[in-house]
Amino acid sequence: DQQVKQNSPSLSVQEGRISILNCDYTNSMFDYFLWYKKYPAEGPTFLISISSIKDKNEDGRFTVFLNKSAKHLSLHIVPSQPGDSAVYFCAATYLGGGADGLTFGKGTHLIIQP
Amino acid sequence: GAVVSQHPSWVICKSGTSVKIECRSLDFQATTMFWYRQFPKQSLMLMATSNEGSKATYEQGVEKDKFLINHASLTLSTLTVTSAHPEDSSFYICSARAGTSMETQYFGPGTRLLVL
């Protein structure tokens, strides 16, 4: 049972445009969400996070939006740059339950075209 | 930044043998380390959480006698796949937490295991 879903295996965006990566979750207990970026042969690296008490968090070119009622979050990257080409994982956890580990989506491969 | 290494990065073994994978935090101490497994085109699945000096906590469906985890020091955790079978072939990735927040969980590059 996939509790975190990233339904787009890949996304191609032109350099300079906005990249929007989507993530849905089914477990209503999740209260903290993170996005990770992964290059080939490297481990995922933390990008940005959001708590369920917020609906938006911004860090430079990266903004994460959370819609709790729809159990949906999205990562916006603007403007997109060639170095953004990577696999992006959405992850969730339940801090209120003392959880330590993360539940990941399958990832979306973002390709930034020049 | 915080660096987590894994060794080996690639391992091929015969069915029935045991394989040990090491996870090290190179420039920080990690009281908690995590082991994940990723099958092709699937998400990273948490296998177990290990705390230094205590027994690992395994996720539901993960056999603790098959996947032995030892967190002997604040910088080293090992995962031993015992009596490996072809269905254990997967990508194993560890992470180490430097602090108390989720953002301080740093991932290793992963180990590709192929059991023949």
Side-chain angles (χ1 to χ4, degrees):
Chain A
D1 178 32
Q2 194 78 18
Q3 296 188 63
V4 177
K5 300 177 184 179
Q6 292 177 258
N7 292 319
S8 299
S10 67
L11 175 67
S12 184
V13 175
Q14 202 165 12
E15 181 180 358
R17 300 285 183 100
I18 183 171
S19 295
I20 300 176
L21 296 96
N22 293 304
C23 177
D24 297 290
Y25 61 96
T26 58
N27 189 339
S28 58
M29 299 300 289
F30 287 144
D31 57 8
Y32 205 80
F33 306 88
L34 305 91
W35 283 94
Y36 286 84
K37 178 180 180 179
K38 185 183 183 303
Y39 292 120
E42 295 181 11
T45 55
F46 169 73
L47 198 55
I48 193 169
S49 63
I50 188 166
S51 164
S52 60
I53 62 173
K54 294 185 176 182
D55 54 18
K56 176 182 174 181
N57 189 25
E58 195 171 350
D59 184 3
R61 297 185 298 113
F62 303 91
T63 303
V64 55
F65 295 93
L66 174 63
N67 183 334
K68 279 181 60 180
S69 60
K71 294 192 179 67
H72 176 84
L73 61 157
S74 60
L75 174 67
H76 292 212
I77 306 172
V78 56
S80 300
Q81 299 175 353
D84 296 331
S85 295
V87 177
Y88 289 80
F89 290 97
C90 172
T93 191
Y94 174 38
L95 293 181
D100 277 334
L102 297 166
T103 301
F104 282 85
K106 293 182 181 181
T108 296
H109 186 192
L110 176 64
I111 302 163
I112 304 301
Q113 295 182 331
Chain B
V3 178
V4 175
S5 70
Q6 280 184 242
H7 178 80
S9 56
W10 242 111
V11 58
I12 302 174
C13 70
K14 291 183 178 179
S15 184
T17 61
S18 294
V19 175
K20 180 186 283 189
I21 303 170
E22 290 186 350
C23 175
R24 292 182 186 271
S25 56
L26 298 184
D27 50 3
F28 66 97
Q29 293 185 328
T31 54
T32 305
M33 289 186 171
F34 305 89
W35 286 95
Y36 293 84
R37 178 171 54 183
Q38 184 181 26
F39 291 109
K41 298 187 179 180
Q42 300 298 313
S43 57
L44 278 78
M45 298 291 291
L46 179 66
M47 298 175 68
T49 302
S50 78
N51 292 294
E52 187 264 339
S54 62
K55 289 184 178 180
T57 303
Y58 291 81
E59 295 298 301
Q60 194 174 10
V62 178
E63 299 174 56
K64 62 180 181 182
D65 294 329
K66 180 167 185 61
F67 299 100
L68 301 178
I69 293 172
N70 187 337
H71 194 158
S73 75
L74 287 172
T75 59
L76 173 64
S77 176
T78 60
L79 168 68
T80 301
V81 183
T82 62
S83 186
H85 290 284
E87 57 265 30
D88 299 323
S89 298
S90 187
F91 187 68
Y92 293 86
I93 190 165
C94 74
S95 69
R97 197 165 68 189
T100 56
S101 70
M102 297 304 294
E103 289 83 354
T104 59
Q105 190 175 151
Y106 301 99
F107 287 81
T111 297
R112 178 77 60 190
L113 170 64
L114 177 62
V115 184
L116 301 176

